[in-house]
Structures are given as structure tokens and as C-alpha cells.
Amino acid sequence: MAANKESNGLGAPNDDIIQAVIFDMDGVLIDSEPIYFEIERSSFAHFGARVTDEEHHNYVGVTLESMWQQVLDRHQLTATLEEIFAYHQHNVMQTMLAHPNLTAMPSVERWLSWLHEQHVPIAVASSSPRALIDLIMDKTGLGQYFEVRMTGEEVTNGKPAPDIFLTTAEMIGASPSNCLVIEDSRNGVQAAKSAGMRCIGYRNPGSGNQDLSKADLQISSYDELWTLKDTLPFEGRLPSLSKFR
């Protein structure tokens, strides 16, 4: 998973070390994207926006405000952004609060527990609003693992800009080059790579047809990632890195 030093000039040994892991939330920690798709399609219809599946998939990973600004502009909606955003955000919160099937992704807790045992700092960096992140963290029981929670509301530019990951790394106290990001969307992967971080692309069918080709490694489950844990270059380890170059 280490960067190819011959192509980018990274030479210091510490450049290979993973000191922190940053997780996206939706589609990575919880399979919530299908729920969001359903809510968003309801809201699109409410405001008269005929959004295609292809267009919809392009919004995965961006903030709600950014998504609705693009929808408003593209479909020339008559409602204001404030009206649309308020309606949709209320719709999301009420639906997620009442949803009976908000559960963590299979085997993710084993991975999170292992990272804690290895004393590897972890954080969640999501485009979702803080209130929604906290709600999901509480309902899934994953909140115990994440003291650092960064939202798209707290940075100037949302994904695919690198702001959210750079700010998260600063909060953790790790260099971007020593951070590993796990993302399920094209926008998220682009944000991680623009931040100078290594990235694992999580192939989640529920997140739509996402281009994860810029990720350093792609997986389809945490069980698959579990089999690779002893080869990942965490601090204090000296694994063989050749398969991740």
C-alpha cells in the first residue's frame, strides 16, 4: 500500500508508515447509501427534479448542501436552496432516527477493535452533518471507537476537495502521508489522494457505480481487509510492502 518511491520521490522510511486510519461513514462504516438514495429520490420528486441514476450516483460523498445546489442549478428549481435544504435535512433525520436497520458493516467492529489494540488513532470524516453522524454513531454502537468526528460542515470545501481529510489529520496529529483513508465513493477517493494520503476503496454495491480506480487498493469486505492486516505498514511493524506498490 506504500507509495511508489521511484515515481514520486518519497525516500524517508517513515513515509511508508501508517500512523492513523480515517474512515468515511456512509457506505463504509454503515450500509446507509441505499437508505439515502430512497430519501433523496423522494425529495427530488417533491421539488420536481428529474434526477437520473447516473447523476444521482455522482453526488455520493459530497455534502447535502453541495448536492442540492447542483440539483437546483441543473434542474432550475423554483424553491430556494434554504427551503430545499431544510426540507430534505428534516426528512433525512426523521427517517434515520426511526429506521430499524441501522447496523454496522459486517466485521467492521473486529477491525476497529484491532486498531484500538494496536494503539492506532482512528477518525470518521463524513460529508454528513454532525447531528446525523452522532445519531448514526449512537444507533450503531460505533461511537465508542471514534473520539474524532469531522464533518463536511466544518470545512470550506467538501469532497472531492481534500479539506476534510487534511483537517482530520491535523486533529489527530498525523502527517497526511502517514494516514490511510477508507472510502466508498469516487469523490471520497479523490479527496483522499488530493490530501496526499493512501486510500483503500471499499467496493459497496449500495453506493452505486463508483469509480475507485485512483485508490491504492480495493476491497469488497472487512473480512478481505482482515486477511491483509499483517501486511499493512503500521507504525512499529516491518512488513513486506512490495504487493502494495
Side-chain angles (χ1 to χ4, degrees):
M1 172 133 246
N4 188 327
K5 296 179 183 178
E6 293 182 358
S7 64
N8 64 18
L10 296 177
N14 282 347
D15 285 337
D16 285 334
I17 294 172
I18 297 172
Q19 295 178 334
V21 181
I22 304 172
F23 293 80
D24 179 37
M25 183 177 71
D26 300 303
V28 172
L29 293 174
I30 175 175
D31 196 17
S32 49
E33 293 295 2
I35 305 173
Y36 290 136
F37 275 25
E38 182 179 340
I39 300 170
E40 287 162 4
R41 297 210 72 80
S42 172
S43 294
F44 293 153
H46 178 81
F47 289 104
R50 297 186 177 183
V51 177
T52 66
D53 288 345
E54 181 180 2
E55 179 187 348
H56 199 176
H57 292 162
N58 286 334
Y59 297 135
V60 175
V62 305
T63 64
L64 286 177
E65 187 172 5
S66 175
M67 178 187 77
W68 278 110
Q69 182 65 69
Q70 293 178 65
V71 170
L72 188 154
D73 293 341
R74 180 173 295 188
H75 298 274
Q76 299 182 327
L77 304 184
T78 57
T80 66
L81 178 61
E82 290 74 18
E83 292 170 341
I84 294 172
F85 191 63
Y87 172 89
H88 181 69
Q89 194 168 25
H90 177 77
N91 197 11
V92 169
M93 291 298 295
Q94 292 301 112
T95 302
M96 298 302 274
L97 185 62
H99 205 285
N101 297 320
L102 289 183
T103 56
M105 295 291 278
S107 301
V108 69
E109 284 206 64
R110 176 171 66 166
W111 177 242
L112 295 174
S113 295
W114 182 80
L115 289 172
H116 267 266
E117 291 171 2
Q118 304 303 310
H119 304 289
V120 177
I122 63 174
V124 58
S126 170
S127 297
S128 294
R130 176 165 295 278
L132 183 56
I133 294 175
D134 291 343
L135 185 156
I136 290 176
M137 290 290 101
D138 290 344
K139 289 201 70 170
T140 60
L142 295 180
Q144 62 181 312
Y145 298 105
F146 294 98
E147 293 184 5
V148 175
R149 305 176 189 181
M150 179 56 57
T151 81
E153 297 174 322
E154 299 172 71
V155 294
T156 302
N157 302 299
K159 302 174 187 177
D163 302 30
I164 193 169
F165 290 129
L166 293 173
T167 304
T168 303
E170 185 177 357
M171 290 182 66
I172 294 174
S175 169
S177 64
N178 297 124
C179 291
L180 170 66
V181 173
I182 304 181
E183 268 283 359
D184 70 315
S185 71
R186 175 183 60 84
N187 289 317
V189 171
Q190 179 61 57
K193 298 309 296 179
S194 294
M197 300 179 179
R198 283 161 285 180
C199 183
I200 292 177
Y202 192 106
R203 295 189 301 269
N204 184 348
S207 300
N209 185 25
Q210 297 294 314
D211 179 5
L212 306 178
S213 59
K214 291 185 179 181
D216 299 277
L217 174 71
Q218 295 183 44
I219 61 170
S220 57
S221 70
Y222 283 103
D223 287 332
E224 183 180 349
L225 184 58
W226 184 257
T227 66
L228 301 174
K229 72 181 190 306
D230 292 331
T231 64
L232 295 174
F234 286 102
E235 192 166 19
R237 296 176 165 224
L238 295 174
S240 171
L241 304 179
S242 58
K243 68 184 291 185
F244 297 108
R245 294 187 187 278

